[in-house]
Amino acid sequence: MQKLAKGLDLSREDISRVVAIMLPALLELVLSQLFTMVDTIMLGRSEVSAVAIAAVGLTNNPTNLVRSVLIALNVGTTAGVAWAVGAGDRKSAAQIARNALMMNAVVGAAAAVLLYAFAAPIVTFMGAGEDTFAYAKNYLQIIAMGMLPLSMTFAITAGLRGVGQTRLPMKYNLIANMLNVVGNYVLIYGKFGLPKMGVAGAALSTALSQVLGLALALYTAFHADTPVRMRLDRDWHLRVKWIRRILSVGLTSMLEQLIMQAGFIIFARQVSGLGTMIFAAHQIGLSINGLSWMPGQAFGVAATTLTGQSLGAGEKKKATDFVRLIHRMSMCSAALIAALFVAFSSAIASLYTTDAEVIRLSGGVLRLIALGMPGICTQLPIAAGLRGARDTKFPLMASMAGIWIFRVMLAPVFIYTLGWGLTGAWLTIVLDQTTRAVVVYARFKTGRWLHVGEKLEKRQNS
């Protein structure tokens, strides 16, 4: 760690702060993704195997769209709380957290209704065929029921991260995910006298685990001694001032996610045209790819929190050095993950299915993921640092350029015109990640992002 911090004006205590925030977030995110991978593995070893994986894959992009919008809104919560804590204003930090929880309850309820009501046209649009339509529709409708508790849990987690507290979210999210895995085993395969529900059982287990997650998060929010502790005797009215503070970052981040996820949906439709077997291999690749994102996202949590707190305290140099250190750490993780994916690609893919052709295709995907790791582990923490400084425009521009140029415009050329199929699809993902990394890193190097939050503070306080 001292070698990674060479040339930076950071003390041992500062480095310890990075690790203290990052490690619990990393453990939470990695284990949560592993639990999600176990879901896919269980479905892949059910009676319908590739059909089940493909059917759930058809719902992933629509549900990820909703989840990503909810998470993006709460980037504003984390940044707002971090700035208030950095400025020593605990009262404002708590008010932001309460308003975020109420706002998320409204947004989460709306998301649940829309996903449930439009499940059939959504999976049809995603390319569901006769073999996958019924599974996909049923799965999406059940998943929709968990959107309200999930949204509220996101708000609580965002507030806790803003004060640098990542251990508490780690605990309640891991408990909820462990329940999900147990529930999958029981409900997918019909254990302990319960009916064998297959794909529907996986969805029901997920929804129930999200309800438990909210219950644990609420208990934490009301009982843990933190600057954003919830109390019933406080002001619980939605206030324009605090909603504006959240949305000043959250709206641009939400727009970024909408643009990203819309591109992902178009991209998924293009790949689904290659057939159920290839799309199943693509879904396995996406599942494993999600694991490769987790270190970058964990470093991003630390970057958002520490950048916000440093700039809230007026320490621009420290904010810059925090992002530099976090980026160096992230790149080390990229090298390790890439090496593992290259060395054990087929072995990892074989965990999901026994189908030799799907394993072969998935192994090729993993080797391409390794190629994209430097871009992933650059753009995630640096973009998060910019958001912590409340500079959201350039992460938005990076996402637009990477996704819409490569995954939307060039993907059909790579997949069909050039005849590269699944390999062509994943090459566009590598190019997307590299482009995003170049854009946000160029913005970081200018130093202009350090002054965006100050201007917003003056405008909102005037």
Side-chain angles (χ1 to χ4, degrees), residues 167-317:
R167 290 186 180 183
L168 295 175
M170 176 192 71
K171 291 177 182 178
Y172 59 68
N173 282 321
L174 288 182
I175 292 172
N177 277 291
M178 288 174 65
L179 174 69
N180 186 25
V181 171
V182 173
N184 279 336
Y185 174 74
V186 172
L187 296 176
I188 291 174
Y189 302 126
K191 302 297 181 179
F192 305 116
L194 293 172
K196 184 186 297 184
M197 298 178 67
V199 173
L204 181 58
S205 175
T206 298
L208 291 174
S209 70
Q210 288 164 350
V211 173
L212 173 68
L214 174 59
L216 295 172
L218 285 171
Y219 180 86
T220 301
F222 278 92
H223 291 85
D225 185 17
T226 70
V228 291
R229 182 175 180 178
M230 304 283 182
R231 298 180 185 275
L232 291 177
D233 60 351
R234 296 295 189 264
D235 179 8
W236 282 88
H237 293 91
L238 282 170
R239 300 294 182 186
V240 173
K241 175 182 179 181
W242 305 117
I243 296 299
R244 282 179 59 193
R245 181 71 64 91
I246 295 168
L247 296 183
S248 66
V249 173
L251 273 182
T252 310
S253 296
M254 182 185 74
L255 179 60
E256 177 188 347
Q257 287 298 324
L258 284 171
I259 291 170
M260 285 175 55
Q261 295 299 328
F264 291 162
I265 288 172
I266 295 171
F267 179 70
R269 288 192 72 211
Q270 293 167 346
V271 179
S272 68
L274 293 170
T276 298
M277 194 70 68
I278 294 178
F279 192 63
H282 175 65
Q283 289 307 130
I284 290 173
L286 289 176
S287 175
I288 300 169
N289 186 47
L291 182 64
S292 73
W293 279 57
M294 295 305 104
Q297 288 186 334
F299 289 120
V301 170
T304 299
T305 300
L306 294 171
T307 300
Q309 290 182 1
S310 297
L311 293 176
E315 298 178 313
K316 293 184 176 65
K317 178 65 165 60

Side-chain angles (χ1 to χ4, degrees), residues 428-447:
T428 65
I429 294 178
V430 173
L431 291 171
D432 161 29
Q433 293 300 325
T434 303
T435 300
R436 282 197 253 175
V438 169
V439 173
V440 296
Y441 188 76
R443 174 60 172 179
F444 171 75
K445 290 292 288 184
T446 67

Side-chain angles (χ1 to χ4, degrees), residues 57-118:
L58 292 168
T59 72
N60 281 345
N61 286 106
T63 54
N64 284 342
L65 170 61
V66 175
R67 288 169 59 95
S68 297
V69 166
L70 296 173
I71 292 171
L73 281 175
N74 287 294
V75 171
T77 303
T78 300
V81 169
W83 272 75
V85 169
D89 188 357
R90 294 168 63 101
K91 181 178 179 181
S92 293
Q95 288 173 317
I96 291 170
R98 288 196 299 273
N99 275 260
L101 181 61
M102 292 183 288
M103 180 185 72
N104 273 40
V106 175
V107 176
V113 171
L114 290 172
L115 279 178
Y116 187 92
F118 295 100

